[in-house]
Amino acid sequence: MKRTILKIGRMGLFVVLLAFGLRIGFAPPAAAETGAKIRTLTETGHRLLWAWQHEKAGEIARTLLDSGDHSPETLYFLGHYYFEIGEYEKALDDLNGARDFRPAFMAKNDYAPYLLAAYENTKDFEKKRSEHFEFRYAEGLDELLADSGLEVLEKTYAALAEDLGFRPERRVVAEIYPRLEMLARATGLTVENLKTSGVIAICKFGRLMVTSPRVSPFGFAWRDTLNHEYVHLAISSVSANTVPVWLHEGLAKFHEERWRMPRGGQLEAGSESLLARALKEDKLVTLEQIHPSMAYLPSQDHTALAFAEVLTMIQWLDRLRGADGFKKLLGALREGLELDAAFRRVYGFDVNGLQRRWRTDIGHRRLRMLDYQFDDYSILFDGADENAEEREIRKITKRDGRNHMTLGKLLKDREHPKASVAEFEKAENVLGPGHPRLANFMAESFLEMGAYDRAAARLLPALDLSPNYLPSHVRIATAYTEMGRYEDALKHLDYAAGINPFDPRIYALEVRCNEELQRPEKARRARKILERVTRR
Amino acid sequence: MTDSPSGPGPFLARLSRRLRTRLFLEALLRLLSAGAVWFLPAFWLHALGLSAGTGRSVFYVGFLASALWLYAKYVRIPRRIYARSADLARLAESVRPELRDRLVSATEFAADLEQDPPYSRRMAQAAIDALSENLRAGSARTIVPLSALRPVALRTFAAFLPLFAVLFLAPESVGSFWGGNGSSAEANGLDFLAGDIHLTYHYPEYTGLEALRVPNSSGDIEAPPGTRVALEVRASRDFDRAVLDLEEGSDVELEKGEGRTFSGEITVTSEDHYRFSFDGESDKLRRSLRIKPDREPFAAVDYPPTELEVRETDRIELSYRLEDDYGLKSAELVFDYDNGKKREERRIPLKSFEDRSRSFRGETVWDLSATLFKEGDRVPYFVEVKDNDSVNGPKIGRSETHTLKIFSVQEHHKKLIELQEKYWESMIALLAKRLEHPVPENIRESPDAITGIFTSHIAELNEILVDPLGRLTKELEDDPLATEAIRSLMTAMLDDWSMHRLDYENSLWKFERDLQAWRSDGRGGASLGVFYKLKMLAEGSIQRLEKYIIDLYELLQKQKYDALVGDTEKLSDIRDELRRLLEEYKRTGDEALAERIRALLDEMRKRLSDLYAKMADVKKETNNEFINPEALHPQEMKTNMDGLDQALKSGDLDKAFQELENLSMMLNDTLEQMKKGSEELGESLYSESMRKLLDFQKDLDQLTEKQKEIQKVTEERKQTLQERMAGKMERDLDRNLAEMERKVQEAIREAGAVKQPPSQSTQQNRDVAVGRMEELKKALENRDVSGARDIAELALGRLQALSSELKNPFLIPPGGKKNGNAENIRHAETAEKRLQEVTEELRQAMPDPGKFMNPEEKRQLQEMARRQRQLEQESYRLRQDVAELEKEVPFMPPDAQNLMQSASAGMQQSRQKLDEMRPGQAEGHQRQSIHNMEQLKEGIGEAMKQMQSGMKYGGMQPSMKEGSGRTLKREKVALPKPGEHRSPKELREDLLEAMKRKSPEYYEPQNRQYYKELVK
């Protein structure tokens, strides 16, 4: 009963604030009105920004601008508003105008340090715009991301408009950072947090902040990441920032490939295996552990497991009520309902009920558990992680398989492809088909021997198990190119560019495929990029 | 020549006179020319330094030769040519055409008329008369005119021109040339005052040369410095005083002797010229005083070679040669080394000479431990020699500079790691070859192809695997930084490869033997079995290669990782120092500190580059994908260092600190990653193996404990039974004891009579059998029937094996004496027969133990047999585990399988004996099993220790061990001398030692042959 009263009270307060804000918006304060009214207005504006209601906060900002008020309260709010919509210079001007003024309720949420960081990060950035987005990036190689990034975001915009009914009026800002430290500075997280959890992108302060795939030795699926972060922005906006992290992440993961495929979300083999093992060993990450952020999880394995859990929960919910269910759930939360209440309203059970039902469901799903754990989900950082390949091999617990794989690689690297295949086949007998590294090693040997069809045949199961493992795409594209299957090759090359667009092998093959297909313009473009990425 | 007064006679006589005159004049002119011509070279030679006497001799010889030649040409030869009147007539005809055909005829007619001519005398006289008229009109002058001598006279004059020129230009020299012949200048009309010069050289003592007298000298002096030259000279006229007038030095007064002679002495100290001066009148001739140089002594180092790597504690044999023209004084070894603070020159006396030796060949031992050499230092050295020149002081000669490279443990270790990698690479190459070219199926029926493959495999095993590994393992013994893991692996590999090679060799030998038999008499042949054996061996090689490539690869990688950790830690130390200096600089502003900081930054950059290079080396085996270069630390660290440098230059110390902090963070990160990588690799290397070994050890412990329990109970049963049986057995024994002892003695004698056993195994069987029979004798003396029976059975087994081997035709050495072997067989069979009888009697004397047990005791023994069977089955499982572990686990004791197999066999035999109610024998087998298992446990414990060490971070990091460095063993580096090409003694000792060891009997023939070849 007490909880119900509290809920009603909170909802009431929100409605009152909203109404107050709107009223103010429609009726500007007279010059004679007191500073107290300004204070109320700006406070409402700040709270709207916290609730990711940028359009409404914008109305307050315009009202205040029209009023000609230059009080510190107003300037401090305007700074906040401009910061959230990505206009840092204006924001800095206003913040400077406000001098040392900080409203008491903003004491813990002062935007000033983040504004300064955002300004410092992006002051030399280039910009490109599409209808709904502004893409900011450091001059240089990251320019390669701009067109493709904007295309992805526009596609995501259309998909989410359909799925969640989210259509922001403002032009959403996406920033690409060439260094991980910049993301840390912009978000207030430490670099260590980011590295530990593998977080390379964050949606905060009304914008998308993504590090360039260049920060990772082997890149990452940056286009899906852009999509993922935009989903966060959509959820925060649609729900007025009332969605808990686990649900946020689940929905974002569920929708992260929307720019390129229908709804549903893909549980990759590596994540599936992690989940299967965690279920078997009863070592699931709890929903509480995910709070307040995925970035605080102790390892990338934990993060991957948490994602697998919440994704499969959302997949299960999707099977119950579909996209409509999500819209209603977010609507209920926006209304101010508690999470359990919102769930009960939409699905008829609370969060505990969800977890119970999910476990039953997941128990019935025949999750694949691999003998080895292959990290195509992990994001690698820094020089020492160049050893990732070696580490991947070491993770294979079947020593026989591991040894034969290593022997094969040693022979392959010394230009004994035939002998290496003999060893790889021994490894395959132990590990089974589809181990991404093994498949790539074998494919390399087959490519060297001119057995292109055999190379492709080894890579297909590997791509099925680890679709985001770039080398498989590059090698199968090589095999297809040699076999004359240029269109197939180009598909894989496009996928590869979505993981590491700075890998010159992609463009070298693209040039060849497009030339063979008599597409001189595309070939020319690919050649230009190739020159650029090889020149760095 | 006869002439008619009215005939051509008078004319020819005139002609003859005229001709002789002309020839004489021409000869005379030519002789003068020759004189002038020969004078010039003789004088020239004299001017070049030849003594006047010799010069004149040249002249005289030449002149005389010319005179003889002229005499021959102008006197003797014409005389012979124109000996007859007809010859002169022909000459006249040749000059006067109107006389042609007439003068010769007339001459002949005139001659004929004096005798009885065959033609008309009147006609002949008429012809003569007609000619006489003509001859009167002509003159001999027209036939031989003297005017023809004019060119000869001109040439003579030309020949004298150079002589006149010389006389004009250097009249004194010409005078000297002619004057030195003993005849006085006065007599010759020349103005030379000194003659008959005699010199006596008294060389300095150090030259060791005897005094030398030079009579009739030109007066020119040439001698080593310090030589005293005694002069005697005779003046051309009478003088009272003579002085030796030196151009640069002080004059030397000569003492007047008898007649016109004077004498004195001069010491050669420097080059000069002099003249004799008599009563103030100078001799015209300027004489030289030249120094004959005393050359520098020569030194050469024959060995060591120009560069040699040595340990700091070695003793080096040094061989050198010294030479000098007059005599050696002393020689020293000079070297230049780093004493830890600076380079210092040091000298070691080699030899000093008292006896004016001119050459010396010496050898010495240079004990390096007498000097504190720094590891890794390059020490230049040479031999310096002094001669015994006591006049101008000793001159110094030096050999070429040689270099000693002081052995560095670190460098040696690095070199060995490179060798290990090289060996590892060769294994990979061989694996590739074996995988790419497997034994083809179609060679099954081709014996020659099989032989070819066997042979090439054996050659590869030798050249690629066994021999290089043998050398490497030997070198590893001298590497204190080598890890135990590496040593163990290398040793295990060497043992295994050697056995594998022997297996190959044995198979080849058998195959060739069968093939030979097949070819000679159609027996046997290239069987399918041989083919499969070859396939099995080839597969065995591949499996071994696979295993060892991985084992070595992981160890090498781990070693490299640990070395990287060490390098990164050194970088961290520099970083700490940088921070300290930066703080001090901020406080004091001392510019010297800024310089030091920059120097440290440079060093850090260099070390960082080295680190990256090493990291790249480690990763080259793992990474073959494209990597975004921006994602790598190196760039950022370099950027930070540049930033720090820049900040320092601009004086922005806060920024410098900031950059240092960033750098520090990354460095820590790198260090952590390295440690993590090292430990991960260590864990990856050993964790699984450790787990498996722990499981196995647990099972083995349990099995051993259970076996001990059974053994304890069995021993109690054995004691009880022995006590009960003893009385009866002794009684039975007493009856036959003497006879049995006799038979045993005979068997010992017969076995001992087996001479020159054909194999080591045969010999061993004979020796062991004899030993056992001696023990049997003692057991009989002690009336221990049970023990005697056991021993007798063991001895019998050996004797049977001995007989069997002696009968084996393949074990008879080639050319072995057949008769001798037949004799051996007879002795062995007799011994076997006697012992068989003894054993039988002992068996009969030994009562059935079952009769001495009650039902309960029998039931207990049966129960123990059942438990023993369980343990036996468990042991089979553990045998399989050992086989698996040997494949997967590093450092497994090499005899693990054998030990476990022996333990199993012991359990099986124990179970059989328990079934037979013979606890005594069962207990012996149980003991053996327990002992085998304990040994295996010990080996496994050792393997686990090594793995634990390897798992730790830094477990493979090279570290100096106790006893290394300066306390390394002292060893003389003896360099091979000419003709020294035999295998080193150590190797031969190893071989000899190995020859003494027992080897499996089926390898015996090959082994013997192998060792024979090696130690030849």
Side-chain angles (χ1 to χ4, degrees), chain A residues 387 409 414 423 426 536, chain B residues 425 546 561 621 630:
Chain A
N387 302 333
K409 184 173 182 303
R414 284 155 184 79
E423 289 295 342
K426 288 180 193 172
R536 64 175 161 169
Chain B
E425 288 287 352
E546 288 175 341
Y561 253 105
E621 292 297 347
E630 296 89 342

Side-chain angles (χ1 to χ4, degrees), chain B residues 506-524:
Chain B
N506 196 39
S507 299
L508 177 61
W509 175 77
K510 280 183 178 166
F511 177 65
E512 284 177 339
R513 183 193 64 190
D514 291 353
L515 192 63
Q516 207 172 2
W518 174 65
R519 282 184 170 149
S520 61
D521 56 16
R523 282 190 294 114

Side-chain angles (χ1 to χ4, degrees), chain A residues 139-142 144 177-181 212-218 381-383 386 500 502-503 532-536, chain B residues 626-637 639 666:
Chain A
E139 188 185 356
L141 274 180
D142 287 340
L144 292 178
Y177 299 133
R179 289 167 65 187
L180 199 63
E181 290 75 35
S212 166
R214 283 193 287 159
V215 302
S216 171
F218 304 107
F381 298 103
D382 297 332
E386 286 169 78
N500 190 4
F502 308 108
D503 188 337
R532 190 148 185 202
V533 293
T534 46
R535 208 173 44 223
R536 64 175 161 169
Chain B
F626 172 78
I627 290 179
N628 286 317
E630 296 89 342
L632 307 181
H633 257 161
Q635 289 215 330
E636 293 187 27
M637 282 213 255
T639 311
M666 281 173 204

Side-chain angles (χ1 to χ4, degrees), chain A residues 114-344:
Chain A
Y114 300 107
L115 169 60
L116 285 171
Y119 175 75
E120 282 296 322
N121 276 345
T122 62
K123 63 185 176 190
D124 299 322
F125 271 21
E126 302 283 320
K127 290 174 189 171
K128 259 192 185 175
R129 285 178 179 170
S130 65
E131 189 183 350
H132 303 103
F133 296 92
E134 181 170 301
F135 203 83
R136 297 177 179 174
Y137 55 91
E139 188 185 356
L141 274 180
D142 287 340
E143 189 186 349
L144 292 178
L145 308 174
D147 291 337
S148 179
L150 285 169
E151 189 187 331
V152 168
L153 287 170
E154 287 298 341
K155 283 181 181 170
T156 313
Y157 179 93
L160 291 192
E162 184 189 326
D163 291 355
L164 303 176
F166 178 61
R167 294 180 183 81
E169 291 167 15
R170 70 187 173 107
R171 189 174 269 120
V172 175
V173 170
E175 290 171 356
I176 303 292
Y177 299 133
R179 289 167 65 187
L180 199 63
E181 290 75 35
M182 292 168 85
L183 181 65
R185 196 156 51 184
T187 56
L189 291 166
T190 65
V191 172
E192 199 180 346
N193 287 152
L194 298 173
K195 283 183 180 175
T196 309
S197 58
V199 169
I200 28 74
I202 285 175
C203 176
K204 204 173 173 182
F205 308 125
R207 66 186 192 275
L208 316 180
M209 293 176 278
V210 183
T211 43
S212 166
R214 283 193 287 159
V215 302
S216 171
F218 304 107
F220 57 85
W222 64 278
R223 292 191 291 205
D224 289 351
T225 303
L226 272 176
N227 180 326
H228 182 100
E229 296 309 322
Y230 181 70
V231 180
H232 279 306
L233 188 137
I235 295 164
S236 298
S237 302
V238 171
S239 69
N241 199 20
T242 53
V243 173
V245 173
W246 69 266
L247 184 57
H248 235 299
E249 294 297 348
L251 286 167
K253 189 79 189 160
F254 182 78
H255 291 94
E256 80 176 9
E257 290 155 341
R258 277 298 277 130
W259 70 276
R260 61 184 166 97
M261 57 170 64
R263 300 170 58 253
Q266 295 277 325
L267 183 63
E268 286 151 15
S271 301
E272 188 179 335
S273 181
L274 267 182
L275 182 56
R277 187 164 285 115
L279 279 165
K280 188 181 166 193
E281 295 170 2
D282 198 20
K283 285 182 180 169
L284 290 171
V285 174
T286 65
L287 297 183
E288 290 75 27
Q289 281 174 315
I290 296 172
H291 186 79
S293 166
M294 287 278 196
Y296 292 112
L297 285 170
S299 74
Q300 291 198 36
D301 279 359
H302 282 82
T303 312
L305 175 61
F307 270 120
E309 286 176 38
V310 294
L311 172 63
T312 47
M313 281 181 195
I314 300 300
Q315 283 174 332
W316 185 74
L317 288 175
D318 184 56
R319 288 209 298 278
L320 286 182
R321 297 278 185 281
D324 192 46
F326 296 141
K327 262 195 261 186
K328 283 180 178 165
L329 182 67
L330 296 176
L333 289 168
R334 182 189 181 110
E335 284 173 23
L337 283 186
E338 280 285 334
L339 187 62
D340 283 333
F343 261 96
R344 271 195 297 274

